[in-house]
Coordinates of all heavy atoms in Angstrom, one line a residue:
L90 N 0.9 -1.1 0.0 CA 0.1 0.0 0.0 C 0.9 1.2 0.1 O 0.5 2.3 -0.6 CB -0.9 -0.1 1.2 CG -1.8 1.2 1.4 CD1 -2.8 1.4 0.3 CD2 -2.5 1.2 2.9
G91 N 2.0 1.3 0.6 CA 2.9 2.4 0.7 C 3.5 2.8 -0.5 O 4.0 3.9 -0.8
D92 N 3.5 1.8 -1.6 CA 4.2 2.1 -2.9 C 5.5 2.6 -2.9 O 5.7 3.8 -3.3 CB 3.1 3.0 -3.6 CG 3.5 3.0 -5.1 OD1 4.1 2.1 -5.7 OD2 3.1 4.0 -5.8
F93 N 6.3 1.9 -2.2 CA 7.7 2.3 -2.2 C 8.5 2.1 -3.4 O 8.1 1.1 -4.2 CB 8.4 1.5 -1.0 CG 8.0 2.0 0.4 CD1 6.8 1.4 1.0 CD2 8.4 3.2 1.1 CE1 6.3 1.7 2.2 CE2 7.9 3.7 2.3 CZ 6.9 2.9 2.9
D94 N 9.6 2.8 -3.6 CA 10.5 2.5 -4.9 C 11.7 1.5 -4.2 O 11.8 1.3 -3.1 CB 11.2 3.8 -5.3 CG 10.2 4.7 -5.8 OD1 9.2 4.4 -6.3 OD2 10.4 6.0 -5.6
E95 N 12.2 0.9 -5.3 CA 13.3 0.1 -5.0 C 14.7 0.9 -4.9 O 14.8 1.9 -5.5 CB 13.6 -0.9 -6.2 CG 12.4 -1.9 -6.3 CD 12.4 -2.9 -5.1 OE1 13.4 -3.0 -4.4 OE2 11.4 -3.7 -5.1
P96 N 15.5 0.5 -3.9 CA 15.6 -0.9 -3.1 C 14.8 -0.7 -1.7 O 15.0 -1.6 -1.0 CB 17.0 -1.0 -3.0 CG 17.6 0.2 -2.9 CD 16.8 1.1 -3.8
Q97 N 14.1 0.4 -1.5 CA 13.5 0.5 -0.2 C 12.3 -0.5 0.0 O 12.3 -1.0 1.1 CB 12.8 1.9 -0.1 CG 13.8 3.2 0.0 CD 14.3 3.7 -1.2 OE1 13.9 3.2 -2.3 NE2 15.2 4.5 -1.2
R98 N 11.7 -0.9 -1.1 CA 10.6 -1.7 -0.9 C 11.1 -3.3 -0.4 O 10.6 -3.8 0.5 CB 9.8 -1.8 -2.2 CG 8.7 -2.8 -2.2 CD 8.0 -3.0 -3.5 NE 6.9 -3.9 -3.4 CZ 6.4 -4.5 -4.5 NH1 7.0 -4.4 -5.7 NH2 5.4 -5.2 -4.4
S99 N 12.1 -3.6 -1.2 CA 12.7 -5.0 -0.8 C 13.3 -5.0 0.4 O 13.3 -6.0 1.3 CB 13.6 -5.4 -1.9 OG 14.6 -4.5 -2.1
S100 N 14.1 -3.9 0.8 CA 14.7 -3.8 2.1 C 13.8 -3.8 3.2 O 14.0 -4.5 4.3 CB 15.7 -2.6 2.2 OG 16.6 -2.7 1.1
I101 N 12.7 -3.0 3.2 CA 11.7 -2.9 4.3 C 10.9 -4.4 4.4 O 10.7 -4.8 5.4 CB 10.7 -1.7 4.0 CG1 11.5 -0.5 4.1 CG2 9.5 -1.8 5.0 CD1 10.6 0.8 3.7
T102 N 10.7 -4.9 3.3 CA 10.0 -6.2 3.2 C 10.8 -7.3 4.0 O 10.3 -8.0 4.8 CB 9.7 -6.7 1.9 OG1 8.8 -5.7 1.2 CG2 8.9 -7.9 1.9
M103 N 12.1 -7.3 3.6 CA 13.0 -8.2 4.3 C 13.2 -8.0 5.7 O 13.3 -8.9 6.6 CB 14.4 -8.3 3.5 CG 15.2 -9.4 4.1 SD 14.6 -11.1 4.0 CE 14.2 -11.3 2.3
F104 N 13.2 -6.8 6.0 CA 13.3 -6.3 7.5 C 12.1 -6.9 8.4 O 12.3 -7.4 9.4 CB 13.4 -4.9 7.6 CG 13.3 -4.3 9.0 CD1 14.4 -4.4 9.9 CD2 12.1 -3.8 9.6 CE1 14.2 -3.9 11.2 CE2 11.9 -3.4 11.0 CZ 13.2 -3.4 11.7
G105 N 11.0 -6.9 7.8 CA 9.7 -7.4 8.4 C 9.7 -8.8 8.4 O 9.4 -9.5 9.5
V106 N 10.2 -9.4 7.4 CA 10.2 -11.1 7.4 C 11.1 -11.6 8.6 O 10.8 -12.5 9.2 CB 10.9 -11.4 5.9 CG1 11.1 -13.0 6.0 CG2 9.7 -11.2 4.9
L107 N 12.3 -10.9 8.8 CA 13.2 -11.3 9.8 C 12.8 -11.1 11.2 O 12.8 -11.9 12.1 CB 14.6 -10.8 9.5 CG 15.2 -11.2 8.1 CD1 16.7 -10.3 8.0 CD2 15.4 -12.7 8.0
T108 N 12.4 -9.8 11.4 CA 11.9 -9.4 12.8 C 10.7 -10.2 13.3 O 10.5 -10.4 14.4 CB 11.8 -7.9 12.7 OG1 10.8 -7.5 11.7 CG2 13.0 -7.1 12.7
I109 N 9.7 -10.3 12.3 CA 8.5 -11.1 12.6 C 8.8 -12.5 13.0 O 8.2 -13.0 13.9 CB 7.4 -11.0 11.5 CG1 6.9 -9.5 11.3 CG2 6.3 -11.8 11.8 CD1 6.1 -9.3 10.0
A110 N 9.6 -13.1 12.4 CA 10.0 -14.5 12.6 C 10.5 -14.5 14.1 O 10.2 -15.4 14.9 CB 11.0 -15.0 11.6
V111 N 11.4 -13.6 14.5 CA 12.0 -13.7 15.7 C 10.9 -13.3 16.8 O 10.9 -13.9 17.8 CB 13.2 -12.7 15.9 CG1 13.7 -12.6 17.2 CG2 14.3 -13.1 14.9
R112 N 10.2 -12.4 16.5 CA 9.1 -12.0 17.5 C 8.1 -13.0 17.9 O 7.8 -13.3 19.0 CB 8.4 -10.7 17.0 CG 7.3 -10.2 18.0 CD 7.8 -9.8 19.2 NE 6.6 -9.3 20.2 CZ 6.0 -10.0 20.9 NH1 6.2 -11.4 20.9 NH2 5.0 -9.5 21.7
I113 N 7.6 -13.7 16.8 CA 6.6 -14.8 17.0 C 7.2 -16.0 17.7 O 6.6 -16.7 18.4 CB 6.0 -15.1 15.7 CG1 5.2 -13.9 15.2 CG2 4.9 -16.3 15.8 CD1 4.6 -14.1 13.9
Y114 N 8.5 -16.3 17.3 CA 9.2 -17.3 18.1 C 9.2 -17.1 19.5 O 9.1 -18.0 20.4 CB 10.5 -17.6 17.5 CG 11.3 -18.7 18.0 CD1 11.0 -20.0 17.6 CD2 12.3 -18.7 19.1 CE1 11.7 -21.2 18.0 CE2 12.9 -19.7 19.6 CZ 12.6 -21.0 19.1 OH 13.2 -22.1 19.6
Q115 N 9.4 -15.9 19.9 CA 9.3 -15.5 21.4 C 8.0 -15.6 22.1 O 7.8 -16.2 23.2 CB 10.0 -14.1 21.5 CG 10.1 -13.8 23.0 CD 10.6 -12.2 23.1 OE1 10.9 -11.6 22.1 NE2 10.9 -11.9 24.3
D116 N 7.0 -15.1 21.3 CA 5.7 -15.1 21.9 C 4.7 -15.2 20.8 O 4.6 -14.4 19.9 CB 5.5 -13.9 22.8 CG 4.1 -13.9 23.4 OD1 3.5 -15.0 23.5 OD2 3.6 -12.8 23.9
R117 N 3.8 -16.2 20.8 CA 2.8 -16.4 19.7 C 1.5 -15.9 20.0 O 0.5 -15.9 19.1 CB 2.8 -17.8 19.4 CG 4.0 -18.5 19.1 CD 3.9 -20.0 18.8 NE 5.3 -20.6 18.8 CZ 5.4 -22.0 18.6 NH1 4.3 -22.7 18.5 NH2 6.6 -22.5 18.5
W118 N 1.2 -15.6 21.3 CA -0.1 -15.1 21.6 C -0.4 -13.7 22.2 O -1.5 -13.2 22.4 CB -0.6 -16.1 22.7 CG -0.6 -17.4 22.3 CD1 0.2 -18.5 22.7 CD2 -1.5 -18.1 21.2 NE1 0.0 -19.7 22.0 CE2 -1.1 -19.5 21.1 CE3 -2.6 -17.7 20.5 CZ2 -1.7 -20.4 20.3 CZ3 -3.2 -18.5 19.5 CH2 -2.7 -19.9 19.5
G119 N 0.7 -13.0 22.3 CA 0.6 -11.6 22.8 C 0.0 -10.6 21.7 O -0.1 -11.0 20.5
Y120 N -0.3 -9.5 22.2 CA -0.8 -8.4 21.2 C 0.2 -7.9 20.3 O 0.0 -7.4 19.2 CB -1.3 -7.3 22.0 CG -2.6 -7.7 22.9 CD1 -2.5 -7.7 24.2 CD2 -3.9 -7.8 22.3 CE1 -3.6 -8.1 25.0 CE2 -4.9 -8.2 23.0 CZ -4.8 -8.2 24.4 OH -5.9 -8.6 25.2
G121 N 1.6 -8.1 20.8 CA 2.6 -7.6 19.9 C 2.8 -8.2 18.6 O 3.6 -7.8 17.7
I122 N 2.3 -9.5 18.5 CA 2.6 -10.3 17.2 C 2.0 -9.6 16.1 O 2.4 -9.7 14.9 CB 2.2 -11.7 17.3 CG1 0.6 -11.7 17.7 CG2 2.9 -12.4 18.3 CD1 0.0 -13.1 17.7
Y123 N 0.8 -8.9 16.2 CA 0.2 -8.1 15.2 C 0.3 -6.7 15.3 O 0.4 -5.9 14.3 CB -1.3 -8.5 15.1 CG -1.6 -9.9 14.9 CD1 -2.5 -10.6 15.5 CD2 -0.7 -10.6 13.9 CE1 -2.9 -12.0 15.2 CE2 -1.1 -12.0 13.7 CZ -2.1 -12.7 14.4 OH -2.3 -14.0 14.1
S124 N 0.3 -6.1 16.6 CA 0.5 -4.7 16.7 C 1.7 -4.1 16.3 O 2.0 -3.1 15.9 CB 0.2 -4.3 18.2 OG 1.2 -4.9 19.1
G125 N 2.8 -5.0 16.6 CA 4.1 -4.6 16.2 C 4.3 -4.4 14.7 O 4.7 -3.3 14.2
P126 N 4.0 -5.4 13.8 CA 4.2 -5.1 12.3 C 3.3 -4.0 11.8 O 3.6 -3.3 11.0 CB 3.7 -6.5 11.8 CG 4.1 -7.6 12.8 CD 3.8 -6.8 14.1
I127 N 2.1 -4.0 12.4 CA 1.1 -3.0 11.8 C 1.5 -1.7 12.3 O 1.5 -0.6 11.4 CB -0.4 -3.2 12.4 CG1 -1.1 -4.6 11.9 CG2 -1.3 -2.0 12.3 CD1 -2.2 -4.9 12.5
G128 N 2.0 -1.4 13.5 CA 2.3 -0.1 14.0 C 3.6 0.4 13.2 O 3.7 1.5 12.8
S129 N 4.6 -0.5 13.0 CA 5.8 -0.1 12.2 C 5.5 0.2 10.8 O 5.9 1.3 10.3 CB 6.7 -1.3 12.3 OG 7.2 -1.7 13.6
A130 N 4.6 -0.5 10.2 CA 4.4 -0.3 8.8 C 3.6 1.0 8.7 O 3.8 1.8 7.8 CB 3.5 -1.4 8.2
V131 N 2.6 1.3 9.6 CA 1.8 2.5 9.5 C 2.8 3.7 9.7 O 2.6 4.8 9.0 CB 0.8 2.4 10.5 CG1 0.0 3.9 10.7 CG2 -0.3 1.5 10.1
F132 N 3.7 3.5 10.7 CA 4.6 4.6 10.9 C 5.5 5.0 9.6 O 5.7 6.1 9.2 CB 5.6 4.3 12.1 CG 6.6 5.3 12.3 CD1 6.4 6.6 12.9 CD2 8.0 5.1 11.8 CE1 7.4 7.6 13.1 CE2 8.9 6.0 12.1 CZ 8.7 7.3 12.7

């Protein structure tokens, strides 16, 4: 939705892929599993 240019788009996407994997491995049921990615992307 943000319509980023390259290489910002691929870099931001890969940043989310790595950080979300670590965050969910730590806790799968907290509010942060969804609020973290949504809040970061909205910012």
